[in-house]
PDB file of all heavy atoms in Angstrom:
ATOM      1  N   GLY A 227      92.406  66.744 -15.795  1.00 90.00           N
ATOM      2  CA  GLY A 227      93.778  66.837 -16.258  1.00 90.00           C
ATOM      3  C   GLY A 227      94.726  66.143 -15.316  1.00 90.00           C
ATOM      4  O   GLY A 227      95.926  65.988 -15.639  1.00 90.00           O
ATOM      5  N   VAL A 228      94.276  65.710 -14.111  1.00 92.00           N
ATOM      6  CA  VAL A 228      95.132  64.933 -13.239  1.00 92.00           C
ATOM      7  C   VAL A 228      94.357  63.722 -12.716  1.00 92.00           C
ATOM      8  O   VAL A 228      94.278  63.498 -11.488  1.00 92.00           O
ATOM      9  CB  VAL A 228      95.610  65.860 -12.064  1.00 92.00           C
ATOM     10  CG1 VAL A 228      96.706  66.805 -12.501  1.00 92.00           C
ATOM     11  CG2 VAL A 228      94.466  66.580 -11.359  1.00 92.00           C
ATOM     12  N   GLU A 229      93.848  62.967 -13.616  1.00 93.00           N
ATOM     13  CA  GLU A 229      92.930  61.837 -13.219  1.00 93.00           C
ATOM     14  C   GLU A 229      93.680  60.671 -12.754  1.00 93.00           C
ATOM     15  O   GLU A 229      93.212  59.861 -11.892  1.00 93.00           O
ATOM     16  CB  GLU A 229      92.103  61.416 -14.494  1.00 93.00           C
ATOM     17  CG  GLU A 229      91.073  62.430 -14.974  1.00 93.00           C
ATOM     18  CD  GLU A 229      91.587  63.449 -15.986  1.00 93.00           C
ATOM     19  OE1 GLU A 229      92.795  63.414 -16.215  1.00 93.00           O
ATOM     20  OE2 GLU A 229      90.805  64.196 -16.484  1.00 93.00           O
ATOM     21  N   ALA A 230      94.952  60.491 -13.208  1.00 95.00           N
ATOM     22  CA  ALA A 230      95.647  59.264 -12.904  1.00 95.00           C
ATOM     23  C   ALA A 230      96.386  59.314 -11.503  1.00 95.00           C
ATOM     24  O   ALA A 230      96.492  58.269 -10.777  1.00 95.00           O
ATOM     25  CB  ALA A 230      96.645  58.922 -13.973  1.00 95.00           C
ATOM     26  N   CYS A 231      96.884  60.458 -11.191  1.00 96.00           N
ATOM     27  CA  CYS A 231      97.742  60.538  -9.972  1.00 96.00           C
ATOM     28  C   CYS A 231      97.732  61.950  -9.448  1.00 96.00           C
ATOM     29  O   CYS A 231      98.017  62.917 -10.225  1.00 96.00           O
ATOM     30  CB  CYS A 231      99.152  60.102 -10.265  1.00 96.00           C
ATOM     31  SG  CYS A 231     100.264  60.376  -8.869  1.00 96.00           S
ATOM     32  N   THR A 232      97.359  62.155  -8.183  1.00 97.00           N
ATOM     33  CA  THR A 232      97.500  63.417  -7.503  1.00 97.00           C
ATOM     34  C   THR A 232      98.625  63.334  -6.554  1.00 97.00           C
ATOM     35  O   THR A 232      98.677  62.475  -5.645  1.00 97.00           O
ATOM     36  CB  THR A 232      96.174  63.742  -6.719  1.00 97.00           C
ATOM     37  OG1 THR A 232      95.109  63.911  -7.622  1.00 97.00           O
ATOM     38  CG2 THR A 232      96.407  65.066  -5.890  1.00 97.00           C
ATOM     39  N   VAL A 233      99.630  64.210  -6.715  1.00 98.00           N
ATOM     40  CA  VAL A 233     100.860  64.108  -5.925  1.00 98.00           C
ATOM     41  C   VAL A 233     100.539  64.325  -4.411  1.00 98.00           C
ATOM     42  O   VAL A 233     100.896  63.479  -3.540  1.00 98.00           O
ATOM     43  CB  VAL A 233     101.922  65.074  -6.418  1.00 98.00           C
ATOM     44  CG1 VAL A 233     103.214  64.974  -5.571  1.00 98.00           C
ATOM     45  CG2 VAL A 233     102.198  64.898  -7.861  1.00 98.00           C
ATOM     46  N   GLY A 234      99.782  65.279  -4.140  1.00 97.00           N
ATOM     47  CA  GLY A 234      99.309  65.586  -2.748  1.00 97.00           C
ATOM     48  C   GLY A 234      98.117  64.843  -2.383  1.00 97.00           C
ATOM     49  O   GLY A 234      97.086  65.434  -2.158  1.00 97.00           O
ATOM     50  N   SER A 235      98.223  63.476  -2.234  1.00 97.00           N
ATOM     51  CA  SER A 235      97.053  62.719  -1.879  1.00 97.00           C
ATOM     52  C   SER A 235      96.742  62.852  -0.434  1.00 97.00           C
ATOM     53  O   SER A 235      97.503  63.460   0.389  1.00 97.00           O
ATOM     54  CB  SER A 235      97.483  61.206  -2.171  1.00 97.00           C
ATOM     55  OG  SER A 235      98.471  60.807  -1.318  1.00 97.00           O
ATOM     56  N   HIS A 236      95.612  62.238  -0.031  1.00 96.00           N
ATOM     57  CA  HIS A 236      95.238  62.235   1.381  1.00 96.00           C
ATOM     58  C   HIS A 236      96.271  61.634   2.258  1.00 96.00           C
ATOM     59  O   HIS A 236      96.671  62.237   3.317  1.00 96.00           O
ATOM     60  CB  HIS A 236      93.894  61.622   1.565  1.00 96.00           C
ATOM     61  CG  HIS A 236      93.457  61.493   3.001  1.00 96.00           C
ATOM     62  ND1 HIS A 236      93.225  62.617   3.837  1.00 96.00           N
ATOM     63  CD2 HIS A 236      93.191  60.428   3.780  1.00 96.00           C
ATOM     64  CE1 HIS A 236      92.857  62.178   5.041  1.00 96.00           C
ATOM     65  NE2 HIS A 236      92.855  60.855   5.055  1.00 96.00           N
ATOM     66  N   GLU A 237      96.789  60.539   1.861  1.00 97.00           N
ATOM     67  CA  GLU A 237      97.793  59.796   2.656  1.00 97.00           C
ATOM     68  C   GLU A 237      99.055  60.659   2.801  1.00 97.00           C
ATOM     69  O   GLU A 237      99.728  60.706   3.884  1.00 97.00           O
ATOM     70  CB  GLU A 237      98.133  58.461   2.061  1.00 97.00           C
ATOM     71  CG  GLU A 237      96.926  57.509   2.141  1.00 97.00           C
ATOM     72  CD  GLU A 237      95.924  57.663   1.095  1.00 97.00           C
ATOM     73  OE1 GLU A 237      96.115  58.585   0.211  1.00 97.00           O
ATOM     74  OE2 GLU A 237      94.889  56.973   1.108  1.00 97.00           O
ATOM     75  N   PHE A 238      99.448  61.321   1.692  1.00 98.00           N
ATOM     76  CA  PHE A 238     100.635  62.162   1.714  1.00 98.00           C
ATOM     77  C   PHE A 238     100.482  63.282   2.786  1.00 98.00           C
ATOM     78  O   PHE A 238     101.334  63.499   3.588  1.00 98.00           O
ATOM     79  CB  PHE A 238     100.896  62.779   0.358  1.00 98.00           C
ATOM     80  CG  PHE A 238     101.993  63.733   0.326  1.00 98.00           C
ATOM     81  CD1 PHE A 238     103.295  63.339   0.056  1.00 98.00           C
ATOM     82  CD2 PHE A 238     101.814  65.083   0.581  1.00 98.00           C
ATOM     83  CE1 PHE A 238     104.406  64.280   0.007  1.00 98.00           C
ATOM     84  CE2 PHE A 238     102.850  66.040   0.563  1.00 98.00           C
ATOM     85  CZ  PHE A 238     104.133  65.595   0.280  1.00 98.00           C
ATOM     86  N   TYR A 239      99.381  64.007   2.709  1.00 98.00           N
ATOM     87  CA  TYR A 239      99.140  65.156   3.520  1.00 98.00           C
ATOM     88  C   TYR A 239      98.846  64.837   4.987  1.00 98.00           C
ATOM     89  O   TYR A 239      99.206  65.559   5.912  1.00 98.00           O
ATOM     90  CB  TYR A 239      98.185  66.111   2.953  1.00 98.00           C
ATOM     91  CG  TYR A 239      98.706  66.996   1.884  1.00 98.00           C
ATOM     92  CD1 TYR A 239      98.152  67.111   0.672  1.00 98.00           C
ATOM     93  CD2 TYR A 239      99.833  67.844   2.171  1.00 98.00           C
ATOM     94  CE1 TYR A 239      98.662  67.925  -0.308  1.00 98.00           C
ATOM     95  CE2 TYR A 239     100.370  68.664   1.157  1.00 98.00           C
ATOM     96  CZ  TYR A 239      99.736  68.694  -0.054  1.00 98.00           C
ATOM     97  OH  TYR A 239     100.239  69.522  -1.048  1.00 98.00           O
ATOM     98  N   MET A 240      98.231  63.720   5.235  1.00 97.00           N
ATOM     99  CA  MET A 240      97.941  63.325   6.596  1.00 97.00           C
ATOM    100  C   MET A 240      99.228  62.985   7.243  1.00 97.00           C
ATOM    101  O   MET A 240      99.425  63.435   8.386  1.00 97.00           O
ATOM    102  CB  MET A 240      96.960  62.105   6.656  1.00 97.00           C
ATOM    103  CG  MET A 240      96.562  61.795   8.023  1.00 97.00           C
ATOM    104  SD  MET A 240      95.243  60.583   8.137  1.00 97.00           S
ATOM    105  CE  MET A 240      95.002  60.429   9.926  1.00 97.00           C
ATOM    106  N   GLY A 241     100.099  62.287   6.585  1.00 98.00           N
ATOM    107  CA  GLY A 241     101.396  61.961   7.162  1.00 98.00           C
ATOM    108  C   GLY A 241     102.214  63.216   7.404  1.00 98.00           C
ATOM    109  O   GLY A 241     102.858  63.338   8.436  1.00 98.00           O
TER     110      GLY A 241
END
Side-chain angles (χ1 to χ4, degrees):
V228 289
E229 293 87 356
C231 173
T232 296
V233 180
S235 65
H236 174 61
E237 293 78 7
F238 175 91
Y239 277 125
M240 186 168 180

